Amino acid sequence: MTHRRILVITGAGVSAESGIPTFRGKDGYWRNLDPMKLATPGAFARDPSLVWDWYRERRQRIRNAQPNPAHRAIAKLAGQTSEFLLVTQNVDDLHLRAGLPREKIVQIHGDIFITRCSRCDFKRHEHEHEHDDDGLPKCPECGALMRPGVVWFGEELDAAKIETVENFMTDSGCDLVIVAGTTALFGYIIDWALRGRGQTGQLIEVNPEETSLSQFANKSFREPAGIVLPRLVNELVADLVSDRLRRASPYR
Ligand code: OAD
């Protein structure tokens, strides 16, 4: 079976082998605080300095991290088909740094390196270094408090990003959906995975643990993404190449 239209959905597990703690894993806690309680508008309203400290530390950890074989395998797969989209819940930039073109990535939970105004539309990118090393960043346009450009629990997703994902789905679905390194707890992630594969497509899950999507998957690989994805992508790429040769052949 050949896979020409491919949707990949990733979560924190894909960056775990780069040393970025997952949210619900044992290393997720920071200063004994539950990330699920820090990544909320309420936590920021109560203690913006604490929340900024957490984000600055995570930014620094991500700057020091490198893409792992899972990120590189996904970028390789994308290079083999023109119909490819990655929906990642990760706010790090490791997919991008692994060579996946920006236009093929939807960071559905935002980008940790964006600092944006909590009142007006001002935002800036801070990958290289922090604009404001400590203290609370204030908007240069309107003076309001700035916040990380991520989606917190209880906040709405960006409508333009939803549209990009929906436009990719098409009525007939994708040939293949790969879901890697996510607990898949959000309804929209489950919905995109299931609608994405449509009636005839394949759904492959890569996760050492069982998830709510496992029961729907055609195949589940219970190993780390950095082990499974390079192997899986090599097989898929071989399929894609032989499919292209077959279609180009005058004897088909
Ligand atoms: P989680 O921390 O909930 O889950 C990480 C998943 O990765 C788990 O299912 C692990 O079993 C799996 N995992 C761990 N190591 C792995 C590895 N080496 N290879 C493959 N899988 C591995 O992270 P997410 O599912 O990404 O949202 O969480 C989704 C969202 O919830 C996050 O984007 C964040 C969060 O709280 C917001 O902040 C809005």
Side-chain angles (χ1 to χ4, degrees):
M1 146 125 210
T2 49
H3 304 291
R4 292 188 212 118
R5 190 172 184 80
I6 301 176
L7 173 68
V8 177
I9 300 176
T10 62
V14 160
S15 294
E17 289 157 85
S18 294
I20 313 293
T22 62
F23 283 86
R24 294 174 182 82
K26 61 176 170 36
D27 301 323
Y29 271 58
W30 175 77
R31 295 187 193 167
N32 258 340
L33 298 167
D34 181 348
M36 250 48 83
K37 295 195 178 123
L38 284 169
T40 66
F44 190 66
R46 268 190 307 279
D47 194 345
S49 298
L50 178 78
V51 173
W52 261 119
D53 282 352
W54 182 51
Y55 277 95
R56 287 200 183 97
E57 273 194 40
R58 288 174 60 207
R59 281 178 173 178
Q60 204 45 47
R61 191 187 268 260
I62 293 165
R63 287 188 188 100
N64 295 337
Q66 296 303 324
N68 68 53
H71 298 108
R72 287 196 288 275
I74 292 168
K76 178 175 171 179
L77 183 60
Q80 294 297 322
T81 170
S82 54
E83 296 178 277
F84 180 95
L85 189 71
L86 170 75
V87 177
T88 184
Q89 296 159 89
N90 298 345
V91 295
D92 66 49
D93 58 355
L94 296 176
H95 283 295
L96 189 68
R97 283 201 272 141
L100 187 60
R102 197 180 284 280
E103 65 275 10
K104 296 195 174 185
I105 305 176
V106 174
Q107 278 188 295
I108 199 68
H109 291 164
D111 175 345
I112 195 169
F113 290 110
I114 288 178
T115 298
R116 69 173 173 85
C117 181
S118 52
R119 187 194 298 151
C120 75
D121 289 337
F122 179 84
K123 60 178 160 181
R124 65 179 175 231
H125 202 266
E126 313 206 85
H127 183 268
E128 295 310 317
H129 56 86
E130 293 292 320
H131 198 266
D132 180 3
D133 275 339
D134 44 315
L136 290 174
K138 294 282 167 49
C139 176
E141 302 279 328
C142 77
L145 188 57
M146 304 264 275
R147 56 165 282 177
V150 300
V151 177
W152 283 327
F153 287 101
E155 291 187 320
E156 289 192 359
L157 301 177
D158 181 314
K161 290 181 183 181
I162 295 178
E163 199 181 331
T164 305
V165 183
E166 292 290 337
N167 287 344
F168 185 78
M169 297 288 189
T170 73
D171 291 341
S172 52
C174 306
D175 301 302
L176 173 65
V177 179
I178 300 175
V179 181
T182 177
T183 40
L185 289 180
F186 294 106
Y188 47 88
I189 295 296
I190 297 171
D191 178 52
W192 286 333
L194 297 182
R195 272 200 299 128
R197 70 115 166 247
Q199 297 296 317
T200 53
Q202 301 265 307
L203 174 62
I204 294 180
E205 181 184 50
V206 181
N207 197 316
E209 308 282 333
E210 192 169 325
T211 76
S212 53
L213 273 176
S214 303
Q215 59 182 310
F216 304 109
N218 299 87
K219 178 131 189 59
S220 293
F221 292 94
R222 298 268 169 255
E223 282 180 282
I227 306 284
V228 172
L229 282 173
R231 214 165 55 202
L232 177 65
V233 164
N234 281 343
E235 286 166 19
L236 294 170
V237 168
D239 277 0
L240 283 162
V241 170
S242 61
D243 180 49
R244 270 203 296 271
L245 288 174
R246 195 173 44 74
R247 280 186 292 139
S249 159
Y251 304 111
R252 79 193 145 103

